[in-house]
Amino acid sequence: METELLKRRLLWVLFILACLALGYVGISTLLYVRPAVVLLSVCILVAYLLVPLVGVFERVLPGTGHTRRLISILLSYLLIGTVVAVFAAYVVPMAGREFHHLTTDLASLRDRHVVDELTDWLTDKLPPEQAEAVPTYVQGAIDQLQQLGLTMLKSSMPYVTQVFSTVVEIFLIPLFTLFILLDLDTYKKGFLRVVPRHRRADTEKLLSELNVVLAGFVHGQMMVACVMGTSIAIVLWLLDVPYALLLGTFAGLVDIIPYLGVPLGMIPAFFSALSSHGFLWALLTIGLMEILHMTEGKVVVPTVVGHTVKL
């Protein structure tokens, strides 16, 4: 009896050690091949986003088979490459200049009239016993905001530089994506072969429905972000708010984040308008941005996302 119990305990110990060893080998292997896994994941994501555009060209072009699919992919690349080239030639230099001016203005924010104007406005609104501490609190908040902004800008630059300096990946991603798109039907059939035969029809239908909803939602959110970023940039430009393009782009990107995206996009615009035109102009800027976001919730999102998701 004791011998049998000892054997069981020994087997459990060996089983736990084997699991730990396999886990260690798996994690080590994953860390070793992590760059390849990340690259493959990006290629799959890009291919997934390009499927609708490739499908549009396939429906328009004559012919069948891989030749039509290859021409459709190349035309999609050409269209996206043209958009990226125009963006890089015109928008990126403007955003770069605004980014440079922003970093310069952050360093000189304490010397501008915005601190005194904000302090005077708060002092007039508060009781005398609380108004005495306003200058100290305002100056401390400005110092912390300035330090936070400079820290975020400086810490983000190495990552941005690293992303755009990886020339090899820039060439590998379109290449791998091309092969994924070419053999997309083959991958789909191979996956369905794993499913039991009597479940394949239901599985294929379920995957098709999931693809329609997920792809529609992703593309709809991207379109909403572009519409909101462009609209906010135009409004800020009309209001003569500095860094309109940069702030509009930022507001469009963070608009995807639920709940926090709207205030995150408003805060930089508020301080930019405050530092250039005063407190009332900053309130006007926030008010117009809020109107745009209300329009987004009532009109843009139901129209765009609802159409893409087919609700």
Side-chain angles (χ1 to χ4, degrees):
M1 186 67 179
E2 293 181 357
T3 305
E4 188 69 23
L5 181 61
L6 183 61
K7 287 182 179 179
R8 289 181 180 180
R9 290 180 178 178
L10 181 60
L11 288 175
W12 272 110
V13 171
L14 292 175
F15 176 74
I16 294 174
L17 290 176
C19 290
L20 292 175
L22 289 175
Y24 175 78
V25 172
I27 294 175
S28 301
T29 305
L30 184 61
L31 292 175
Y32 183 76
V33 300
R34 183 178 59 179
V37 173
V38 172
L39 180 62
L40 181 60
S41 302
V42 172
C43 293
I44 293 174
L45 177 61
V46 173
Y48 185 73
L49 295 176
L50 284 178
V51 166
L53 182 59
V54 174
V56 170
F57 283 116
E58 278 192 298
R59 289 190 292 270
V60 174
L61 294 175
T64 57
H66 273 62
T67 303
R68 186 177 63 173
R69 173 67 64 87
L70 178 60
I71 296 175
S72 301
I73 296 171
L74 295 178
L75 288 176
S76 301
Y77 279 2
L78 180 61
L79 178 60
I80 294 176
T82 303
V83 173
V84 171
V86 172
F87 188 83
Y90 295 98
V91 180
V92 172
M94 294 173 59
R97 288 193 295 268
E98 290 191 355
F99 184 84
H100 175 72
H101 293 320
L102 176 61
T103 55
T104 304
D105 289 345
L106 279 174
S108 60
L109 183 61
R110 67 171 69 237
D111 300 326
R112 303 181 68 172
H113 68 278
V114 59
V115 178
D116 295 333
E117 185 175 344
L118 181 60
T119 302
D120 294 340
W121 184 83
L122 290 174
T123 303
D124 294 337
K125 300 296 181 181
L126 295 175
E129 60 273 9
Q130 298 179 2
E132 295 179 357
V134 167
T136 303
Y137 285 118
V138 170
Q139 189 61 55
I142 293 295
D143 291 341
Q144 291 181 4
L145 179 65
Q146 174 186 341
Q147 187 62 37
L148 177 62
L150 291 174
T151 301
M152 292 177 62
L153 291 173
K154 291 179 180 178
S155 61
S156 63
M157 287 307 296
Y159 297 101
V160 175
T161 304
Q162 182 180 3
V163 169
F164 286 97
S165 64
T166 312
V167 181
V168 176
E169 292 185 4
I170 293 177
F171 286 99
L172 287 179
I173 289 175
L175 182 63
F176 289 169
T177 304
L178 172 66
F179 290 116
I180 293 174
L181 289 171
L182 276 176
D183 296 323
L184 196 60
D185 296 334
T186 304
Y187 300 143
K188 181 180 177 181
K189 293 177 181 177
F191 174 77
L192 290 175
R193 289 196 190 98
V194 181
V195 181
R197 188 180 297 275
H198 64 283
R199 296 289 186 183
R200 287 179 185 175
D202 294 336
T203 303
E204 187 173 6
K205 181 180 178 181
L206 177 62
L207 290 176
S208 178
E209 293 176 353
L210 288 175
N211 177 61
V212 170
V213 175
L214 182 59
F217 178 77
V218 172
H219 291 104
Q221 286 295 327
M222 293 174 63
M223 292 173 63
V224 169
C226 292
V227 170
M228 292 306 300
T230 304
S231 302
I232 291 173
I234 292 174
V235 168
L236 295 179
W237 176 71
L238 292 174
L239 292 175
D240 195 30
V241 176
Y243 328 115
L245 178 62
L246 198 62
L247 294 174
T249 303
F250 176 75
L253 291 175
V254 298
D255 187 69
I256 302 176
I257 305 174
Y259 304 110
L260 297 178
V262 173
L264 283 176
M266 286 184 174
I267 291 173
F270 174 81
F271 281 102
S272 181
L274 180 67
S275 64
S276 58
H277 298 288
F279 186 74
L280 293 178
W281 202 259
L283 289 181
L284 175 63
T285 302
I286 294 300
L288 291 178
M289 291 182 67
E290 180 61 27
I291 292 175
L292 288 177
H293 285 294
M294 291 175 61
T295 306
E296 174 193 9
K298 300 291 185 180
V299 180
V300 179
V301 172
T303 302
V304 176
V305 180
H307 175 71
T308 55
V309 179
K310 302 185 185 302
L311 293 179

